[in-house]
Amino acid sequence: MSERIGFYICHCGINIAYRVRVKEVAEYVATLPNVVISRDYLFMCSDPGQELIEKDIRAHGLTRVIVASCSPRMHEKTFRTACERAGLNPYRAFHMVSVREQVSWVTENEDAATQKAKILAGAGVARVIHQQDLTPATFPVCTNTLVVGGGIAGMQASLDIASAGFKAYLVERQPTIGGHMLQYDKTFPTLDCAACIGTPKMVSVGQEPNIELLSYSEVEEVNGFIGNFQVTIRKKARFIKDNCTGCGECEKVCPVVIPNEWDVGTKLRKAVYRPFPQAVPITYCIEKYDQAPCIRTCPAGTNVQGYVGLIRLGRYEDAIRLIMQKIPLPGTLGRICPAPCEKVCRRKKVDIPVAIRELKRFAADQVDFSSFPVPEIKDCPEKIAVVGSGPSGLSVAYYLRLKGYQVTIFEELDVLGGILRADTPDSRLPSSVLDNEINYLLRHGIHVKTGTAFGSDIDIDDLQQQGFSGIFLDIDTRKSAPTQIPGLKLTKKNLLQVDPKTFQTSLPGVFAAGNPITKPAAAIKAIKSAHKAVEAIHCYIQNDTLENIEKKPGKKKPSGTNWKPLPPELKKAPEIPTSRLALDKKTKNFDEANPGFDETEARKEASRCLNCGGCCECKLCVEACEAKAIDHDMPEEKEIINVGSIIVATGFDPLDPSPMTQYGYGRLANVFTNLEFERLSNATGPTGGKLLKRDVKNPLNFTDPPKSAAILHCIGSRDINYHEYCSRTCCMYALKYAHLLKDKCGHDTQVYNFYIDMRCFGKGYEEFYKRVQNEGVKMIRGKAARIEEKEGMLCVTAEDTLSDSMVEISVDMVILCTAMEPRSDIAQVARTFGIATGGDGFFLEEHPKLEPVSTASSGVFLAGACQGPKDIPDTVAQAKGAASEAMALSATGKVSVAPMISYIDPDICIGCRMCIELCPYSAIEFNERTQTSEINEAVCKGCGSCSAHCPSGAAKVKHFTDKQIFSEITGLLAG
Amino acid sequence: METFEPTIVGFFCNWCTYTAADLAGTSRLSYPPNIKIIRMMCTGMVDPKYIIKALLEGADGVLISGCHPGDCHYINGNYKARRRVKLLKTILDQFGFEEERVRLTWIGASDGIQLSETINQVVEQVKALGPVETKTGMVI
């Protein structure tokens, strides 16, 4: 049967016809082979236009139809359906030529446009006859929906889906849902508080059985297609189990102080935290990174970050307890330690390392060791002899005593301390410090025999006869005696030979660590090996063998360097306390040369710590938690969920105005961003809802209410240097701020708005504008140029474009209405979901007017400010729209997928299997029986990786076959 | 003398550059009519023989344009296109075509302006090269 082609060119009103002589094109196409009908029509997509095609198909027996009109992305489906209604297979019969987007709208010359339209139409005529019957495959739809982002958009969409009886998975990156809306105070124009209308939504989400809330989680990978997505969710470890009651006891004891992101840094929080009191879920969360460099560098593994934090909080006794978990002599080490921790302190990237050793010394000096309580020790019968009382001897004695052993120290001299006392001058380490600390250790119940020389007064046999089941040697082997001890092997350097893992000498039950086995080294290193010896001795006595220690893997895998990111606004600390430099001073007496920190200095110094590890793992919270909900070893989990549709509601980032130096944000204390102002005004914020000025000296302190304030609109919006777009919410929240300032700080407060245009477009917005104007707020039409500090006030310079004059107004407080920006990681998120971003950087909707929630990826929908700046009402409306799209899909229960997928002709395939390697979806399998490759039609997406490579030409993408493309090329080049 | 008006065949990815072409139209950005676009689902399905075919049948230049690296709708089709075009360019000379006649670019769905600029550039470049002189009788 010969082909009978019908060609239709659309005027599109005048959109095509004003540049393309459509009649001429139709007349030209009529002359082409197989064309039996060629018409032009005003609106092909209209009902009469479609009926025209259907009638022609029936009346003239058309086998193929070509419409030359707009982009196929617009109306291909419309015309395919028309062909189907007239009984043709739509994929076989229909081809569309774009003569609007690709011709009339982009071509200036009428002749050229008409000529191009003829060529494109001709290529279509050439191509269409090679098209074949195709039938879309239908798949069942999984009725679950994934909602990404727990702001107001995500919450609303999830609630709507759940109320329709479908399941929603709500994934939120932060530990709580709520999003930006819950950070705000009042909402315009009604002035109802965001929490009052927001927290009930949060609670509903938490209680709704159809919503599975995955907080503190992120979407890692999305596979599958519309109706059948498999999504991998990474559930970050909260380190706190679900049985957390939210009592907050952990927070009280935590030593790590970190700026609270929820309060945009205006307030501090602990490493164990809940962003704000009404958080959903109520479960606390511990912020953890890799172990801080100071901790992992300390040979003894002292929890440096932890005790520095405790010093910052003034909890010196807690700090000493934490230090003494690893170092028995904090005041001593606080003076003589070479402090390798300070060399790796990340603070040096900003100014200089935190003075960790001085802080340790300071904390020790605050504690009276004569009255410092001794923990209760559960005694056990085994006796341990420690010979020598240097750093390793004292450490072994102390830590074994803490385990309950009966410890006796044998010392040749009259006093304990060994090398610590002998080798360190009093000007560096006063003997009183050492005495106090040693006495404190002895108070734990350690027995001492001084004046007992090893070798002459006592030897190993004696000790063993006296019933000591473990012996630890901290002796100077290079002097003389030990060479005579039978069975005790020495190295060439006259040091005790020990097993590197167990620290056991050549005699069973006799151990050594520290200086006797190394050349004299820093005390902290002796303490390090003492800890290992303690572990070995304990194991030896308990199990009568050292197998467990021997089997232990040698070196632990070093922890990573994924530390808490340095805060971008971090500045050099204003002053470094001077007394730490006093070490250089020569003294003429035996007094200690370095006076050390005073309390203010110490706490200030401690506050410079950057808390690299987040949580310092001091585990004080574990003890404090009555519910036993804390699990510091909680692993991160991955879960794969099946969903049919995805709603992306990831929101926006507020613009950081620091780079706009003319506004002085970050430099001038009382220049606030809008979000900071919201937190200030919010009852859970830093001031409990009072609008107060920031203390110039301490940004975390707030003083008195401002007498005057300036609100600067369009910071980063409508500005070609930043964002061309309007952020749509600033005019309205600026008016709200003006009202709040008048309301909370008194009606005599002078409030100035510097605006470009007032855009009060929504329901009740214009009325709110009038109301605020009537409250006496001054409106100045002109964008502020700069802010300077003058006589303790902030002087705003602007051009008043209405009076054509420059104005300078001094105020107490300035609020910058910053732009809404795409999330900083939007490109990565776009890739994960296979969606695109537009020129403004926000996610791109399928059509700006008619498909505002769909995306280029079928089954993925958008809601809220991730698609463009939006206020709360618009966000909620769009969320409901996205939910209805998802529900429509779930309710239909099936979805048809475009049939343009690959096909491998088994008669041609040579079985080379190249395509199998190329396929990004692993959709091709090799059939051993036929020795050919075969496409799995359910998995293939029709990308054509195989067809473009297939050496034999067996692999083809349906609807994009070589014949079709070749004919189109030939057609294009024939004209 | 009549000015040389080259014919450029464009193979555009449906998900990005073809959409950018729609955007260029909607934004009324004009560009020379020399380019004739063929819609592909991905640059990864552009078989090098399509490019050769176009040149042999009289195209003066070919523009292949897809998604930015990492943005491919089909994971990595654009990378495959990049490799194929690079390989193709090494043998174009044997067919008698300058390698400048074939160009591969990445133009995202929102880059309407970039699209019209690229088309302008390609047309200028091919105009400078002049018509294809090779008229082989080769058929593929």
Side-chain angles (χ1 to χ4, degrees):
Chain A
M1 186 186 99
S2 69
E3 297 291 350
R4 299 176 64 80
I5 300 174
F7 175 80
Y8 303 85
I9 184 164
C10 178
H11 296 218
C12 194
I14 58 155
N15 278 305
I16 295 169
Y18 83 116
R19 187 70 27 101
V20 175
R21 295 187 295 269
V22 289
K23 287 211 184 312
E24 191 182 320
V25 176
E27 283 161 15
Y28 164 74
V29 174
T31 66
L32 296 174
N34 298 322
V35 176
V36 292
I37 295 283
S38 183
R39 301 182 195 272
D40 62 285
Y41 190 73
L42 194 58
F43 284 111
M44 283 311 300
C45 60
S46 64
D47 278 353
Q50 294 181 48
E51 277 164 24
L52 182 65
I53 297 174
E54 289 171 53
K55 269 190 212 152
D56 281 353
I57 292 172
R58 294 194 181 96
H60 298 274
L62 298 182
T63 56
R64 313 276 181 173
V65 172
I66 295 169
V67 176
S69 60
C70 50
S71 168
R73 293 178 65 256
M74 193 89 178
H75 274 306
E76 192 173 50
K77 205 173 167 200
T78 313
F79 297 119
R80 271 190 186 148
T81 317
C83 292
E84 196 171 16
R85 278 197 301 266
L88 297 180
N89 179 294
Y91 293 91
R92 178 188 190 90
F94 181 68
H95 180 69
M96 191 158 179
V97 176
S98 172
V99 292
R100 193 179 72 175
E101 280 82 352
Q102 289 179 27
V103 181
S104 70
W105 278 350
V106 294
T107 311
E108 282 165 353
N109 179 292
E110 191 180 298
D111 290 340
T114 307
Q115 181 59 22
K116 185 174 177 182
K118 285 181 187 171
I119 291 172
L120 294 182
V125 170
R127 180 193 212 271
V128 75
I129 53 169
H130 297 289
Q131 291 179 181
Q132 288 161 343
D133 283 350
L134 294 175
T135 317
T138 313
F139 294 94
V141 166
C142 170
T143 57
N144 302 337
T145 299
L146 166 70
V147 181
V148 189
I152 184 61
M155 293 195 292
Q156 186 61 54
S158 305
L159 286 169
D160 284 4
I161 289 164
S163 68
F166 297 113
K167 175 158 188 165
Y169 290 94
L170 177 56
V171 173
E172 167 60 49
R173 168 149 65 177
Q174 293 194 62
T176 178
I177 53 169
H180 278 115
M181 177 180 165
L182 268 293
Q183 286 177 282
Y184 300 155
D185 180 32
K186 300 282 186 286
T187 54
F188 61 78
T190 45
L191 294 174
D192 33 10
C193 88
C196 307
I197 56 175
T199 47
K201 290 258 185 231
M202 293 169 66
V203 172
S204 311
V205 168
Q207 291 174 345
E208 170 60 54
N210 277 339
I211 298 179
E212 186 168 333
L213 177 56
L214 300 162
S215 62
Y216 210 47
S217 301
E218 290 186 46
V219 174
E220 198 161 83
E221 203 184 339
V222 177
N223 286 314
F225 56 96
I226 178 169
N228 300 276
F229 293 107
Q230 293 84 42
V231 183
T232 312
I233 311 278
R234 186 165 68 94
K235 293 158 110 178
K236 294 179 273 186
R238 273 185 115 95
F239 301 104
I240 297 196
K241 292 178 276 190
D242 291 343
N243 58 337
C244 168
T245 60
C247 70
E249 288 299 317
C250 50
E251 198 179 5
K252 284 187 198 153
V253 296
C254 179
V256 178
V257 181
I258 294 172
N260 193 0
E261 299 82 2
W262 188 262
D263 293 293
V264 274
T266 57
K267 204 170 141 181
L268 298 174
R269 65 165 171 87
K270 298 296 188 60
V272 53
Y273 72 110
R274 179 169 61 186
F276 72 116
Q278 297 102 314
V280 171
I282 199 170
T283 320
Y284 270 74
C285 175
I286 298 178
E287 183 183 2
K288 243 190 230 202
Y289 299 90
D290 285 336
Q291 195 175 50
C294 46
I295 305 180
R296 70 177 202 174
T297 305
C298 177
T302 320
N303 193 335
V304 179
Q305 190 199 326
Y307 74 73
V308 169
L310 286 164
I311 293 168
R312 174 183 189 169
L313 296 172
R315 287 158 53 187
Y316 309 123
E317 297 201 349
D318 285 341
I320 289 303
R321 277 189 204 101
L322 192 57
I323 296 170
M324 288 190 69
Q325 286 178 7
K326 297 288 178 187
I327 299 179
L329 307 164
T332 306
L333 270 290
R335 286 171 170 82
I336 64 162
C337 187
C341 47
E342 292 182 19
K343 291 187 185 71
V344 295
C345 177
R346 279 162 85 227
R347 182 79 207 193
K348 74 182 169 194
K349 291 194 175 157
V350 192
D351 37 40
I352 57 170
V354 175
I356 298 168
R357 180 184 51 220
E358 290 294 321
L359 286 172
K360 177 158 54 217
R361 169 199 163 164
F362 168 79
D365 288 355
Q366 306 313 300
V367 171
D368 179 6
F369 282 102
S370 63
S371 62
F372 197 52
V374 171
E376 219 171 276
I377 293 173
K378 212 175 156 195
D379 280 321
C380 57
E382 290 89 351
K383 286 166 70 181
I384 308 277
V386 174
V387 181
S389 61
S392 60
L394 287 171
S395 303
V396 168
Y398 174 58
Y399 292 110
L400 282 174
R401 177 63 198 137
L402 286 181
K403 289 188 191 293
Y405 295 105
Q406 307 294 329
V407 180
T408 308
I409 299 178
F410 295 89
E411 170 59 51
E412 187 174 358
L413 302 175
D414 293 336
V415 284
L416 302 187
I419 198 167
L420 291 170
R421 195 179 297 276
D423 286 7
T424 324
D426 264 21
S427 60
R428 251 187 94 198
L429 172 61
S431 47
S432 60
V433 172
L434 191 55
D435 289 341
N436 287 340
E437 293 190 334
I438 291 176
N439 286 336
Y440 173 65
L441 299 186
L442 299 184
R443 279 208 285 128
H444 287 72
I446 298 171
H447 306 289
V448 177
K449 287 206 172 137
T450 48
T452 314
F454 184 68
S456 49
D457 299 333
I458 197 159
D459 62 21
I460 291 188
D461 286 342
D462 299 337
L463 291 172
Q464 279 170 345
Q465 276 165 21
Q466 284 173 31
F468 288 103
S469 33
I471 299 169
F472 180 80
L473 301 178
D474 180 12
I475 50 177
D476 192 344
T477 48
R478 291 167 310 162
K479 277 184 184 164
S480 55
T483 40
Q484 294 147 21
I485 301 172
L488 207 53
K489 279 190 197 152
L490 293 182
T491 65
K492 280 181 198 156
K493 288 181 179 167
N494 248 5
L495 298 165
L496 283 175
Q497 191 179 330
V498 296
D499 181 293
K501 270 189 177 174
T502 63
F503 289 82
Q504 187 171 233
T505 62
S506 45
L507 292 171
V510 179
F511 296 82
N515 292 338
I517 64 159
T518 60
K519 53 186 191 299
I524 193 76
K525 288 196 175 157
I527 294 172
K528 171 191 181 178
S529 55
H531 276 290
K532 290 185 178 164
V534 165
E535 205 185 330
I537 296 170
H538 182 59
C539 171
Y540 175 77
I541 293 177
Q542 295 303 314
N543 311 326
D544 217 19
T545 165
L546 286 163
E547 264 177 31
N548 291 353
I549 303 275
E550 278 157 3
K551 275 190 210 150
K552 246 181 147 178
K555 276 204 165 168
K556 260 195 293 175
K557 213 175 84 191
S559 59
T561 54
N562 173 29
W563 293 308
K564 190 173 168 66
L566 296 176
E569 71 280 7
L570 198 64
K571 282 175 288 188
K572 281 191 174 189
E575 57 198 71
I576 308 297
T578 50
S579 55
R580 60 188 306 208
L581 303 172
L583 248 184
D584 304 336
K585 279 190 197 158
K586 301 271 183 219
T587 48
K588 290 181 179 144
N589 50 31
F590 292 108
D591 291 347
E592 191 169 16
N594 178 7
F597 285 132
D598 69 25
E599 183 161 7
T600 331
E601 286 169 348
R603 293 183 64 175
K604 198 170 201 174
E605 181 64 19
S607 70
R608 288 173 58 234
C609 173
L610 297 169
N611 291 306
C612 301
C615 164
C616 66
E617 299 193 323
C618 66
K619 317 241 167 129
L620 289 174
C621 50
V622 178
E623 288 161 37
C625 180
E626 305 245 352
K628 301 278 165 261
I630 299 175
D631 173 9
H632 274 274
D633 300 317
M634 186 182 272
E636 184 174 288
E637 280 173 40
K638 287 208 178 137
E639 186 182 340
I640 295 176
I641 57 172
N642 291 309
V643 295
S645 50
I646 297 174
I647 296 175
V648 179
T650 49
F652 68 97
D653 273 341
L655 173 133
D656 170 18
S658 321
M660 307 173 175
T661 48
Q662 69 270 35
Y663 297 126
Y665 176 74
R667 178 165 48 86
L668 304 171
N670 279 298
V671 176
F672 289 82
T673 63
N674 51 319
L675 199 49
E676 285 176 329
F677 187 86
E678 295 281 2
R679 292 313 298 160
L680 215 57
S681 189
N682 191 300
T684 64
T687 56
K690 292 196 185 97
L691 297 177
L692 302 175
K693 287 192 287 180
R694 203 149 28 193
D695 188 343
V696 180
K697 291 200 185 95
N698 179 359
L700 293 169
N701 260 3
F702 293 88
T703 55
D704 55 318
K707 295 269 180 296
S708 53
I711 303 170
L712 275 48
H713 295 222
C714 296
I715 302 299
S717 311
R718 307 182 67 197
D719 179 343
I720 53 162
N721 298 311
Y722 297 92
H723 301 298
E724 267 189 87
Y725 56 78
C726 163
S727 289
R728 293 180 94 240
T729 54
C730 325
C731 284
M732 290 310 296
Y733 68 64
L735 292 172
K736 174 186 84 180
Y737 294 169
H739 168 84
L740 288 172
L741 280 159
K742 288 271 183 193
D743 190 44
K744 292 190 173 183
C745 305
H747 281 270
D748 55 340
T749 312
Q750 294 293 316
V751 183
Y752 303 89
N753 269 283
F754 293 85
Y755 68 98
I756 305 178
D757 296 291
M758 288 307 292
R759 296 187 164 173
C760 310
F761 49 84
K763 188 170 174 173
Y765 290 9
E766 186 66 23
E767 295 90 324
F768 185 67
Y769 179 26
K770 285 277 166 305
R771 169 182 168 182
V772 173
Q773 273 186 313
N774 288 336
E775 287 173 1
V777 172
K778 302 212 167 56
M779 307 296 296
I780 297 169
R781 203 188 86 173
K783 194 174 169 182
R786 63 176 171 268
I787 301 166
E788 292 153 304
E789 197 165 18
K790 275 187 190 165
E791 294 152 12
M793 301 277 279
L794 297 169
C795 179
V796 183
T797 308
E799 182 192 4
D800 182 348
T801 55
L802 289 181
S803 67
D804 194 16
S805 61
M806 294 300 288
V807 290
E808 282 192 5
I809 292 169
S810 286
V811 290
D812 287 336
M813 179 187 273
V814 172
I815 302 139
L816 304 177
C817 298
T818 59
M820 291 165 99
E821 284 187 327
R823 287 277 192 198
S824 56
D825 59 351
I826 196 161
Q828 183 55 47
V829 176
R831 275 170 203 178
T832 305
F833 294 102
I835 54 181
T837 52
D840 55 5
F842 291 99
F843 289 131
L844 193 66
E845 64 289 328
E846 196 173 12
H847 189 277
K849 296 175 192 73
L850 302 178
E851 292 293 350
V853 303
S854 310
T855 64
S857 281
S858 310
V860 180
F861 308 108
L862 302 174
C866 64
Q867 183 250 347
K870 255 176 220 75
D871 55 18
I872 296 168
D874 285 4
T875 297
V876 171
Q878 199 187 13
K880 285 179 165 285
S884 86
E885 290 268 15
M887 291 184 301
L889 205 53
S890 299
T892 322
K894 60 178 199 277
V895 61
S896 59
V897 178
M900 288 88 98
I901 55 171
S902 290
Y903 165 74
I904 296 176
D905 188 334
D907 293 341
I908 302 176
C909 177
I910 55 169
C912 71
R913 309 185 205 192
M914 288 290 239
C915 50
I916 297 177
E917 296 296 317
L918 282 168
C919 179
Y921 303 100
S922 308
I924 311 179
E925 279 152 25
F926 190 69
N927 185 330
E928 294 289 347
R929 195 179 57 78
T930 61
Q931 288 290 302
T932 55
S933 301
E934 288 176 352
I935 303 274
N936 178 345
E937 298 198 347
V939 185
C940 176
K941 289 194 177 19
C943 71
S945 290
C946 52
S947 70
H949 193 90
C950 183
S952 57
K956 304 176 181 94
V957 181
K958 295 174 187 169
H959 211 61
F960 290 89
T961 61
D962 289 351
K963 261 190 187 168
Q964 290 162 11
I965 303 294
F966 276 11
S967 314
E968 197 169 348
I969 294 171
T970 310
L972 284 180
L973 298 167
Chain B
M1 188 185 120
E2 202 180 307
T3 51
F4 165 55
E5 285 300 339
T7 302
I8 315 288
V9 173
F11 294 99
F12 287 2
C13 159
N14 174 61
W15 304 101
C16 50
T17 314
Y18 195 86
T19 312
D22 281 358
L23 177 63
T26 314
S27 318
R28 313 297 200 273
L29 303 166
S30 69
Y31 53 78
N34 308 59
I35 185 143
K36 315 289 188 298
I37 299 166
I38 296 179
R39 181 192 191 193
M40 305 299 282
M41 293 311 283
C42 178
T43 49
M45 68 160 60
V46 179
D47 191 324
K49 67 179 180 249
Y50 300 164
I51 302 167
I52 298 282
K53 172 86 172 174
L55 291 170
L56 287 175
E57 298 237 334
D60 301 291
V62 173
L63 172 64
I64 308 110
S65 184
C67 307
H68 288 280
D71 287 355
C72 179
H73 190 78
Y74 302 106
I75 303 177
N76 53 21
N78 48 358
Y79 291 120
K80 290 169 185 148
R82 183 163 67 182
R83 276 177 244 152
R84 286 177 187 141
V85 169
K86 189 166 165 100
L87 275 174
L88 176 70
K89 283 190 170 190
T90 62
I91 59 160
L92 267 186
D93 190 43
Q94 295 169 31
F95 286 87
F97 303 115
E98 300 89 334
E99 66 165 75
E100 293 80 12
R101 294 193 186 273
V102 175
R103 183 149 168 210
L104 173 69
T105 57
W106 312 133
I107 298 174
S110 58
D111 299 336
I113 296 173
Q114 199 195 329
L115 176 81
S116 84
E117 282 171 358
T118 306
I119 293 173
N120 272 301
Q121 278 171 19
V122 169
V123 170
E124 284 310 308
Q125 199 178 354
V126 175
K127 265 188 189 172
L129 285 172
V132 172
E133 289 184 3
T134 320
K135 293 290 179 207
T136 61
M138 246 197 260
V139 178
I140 61 168

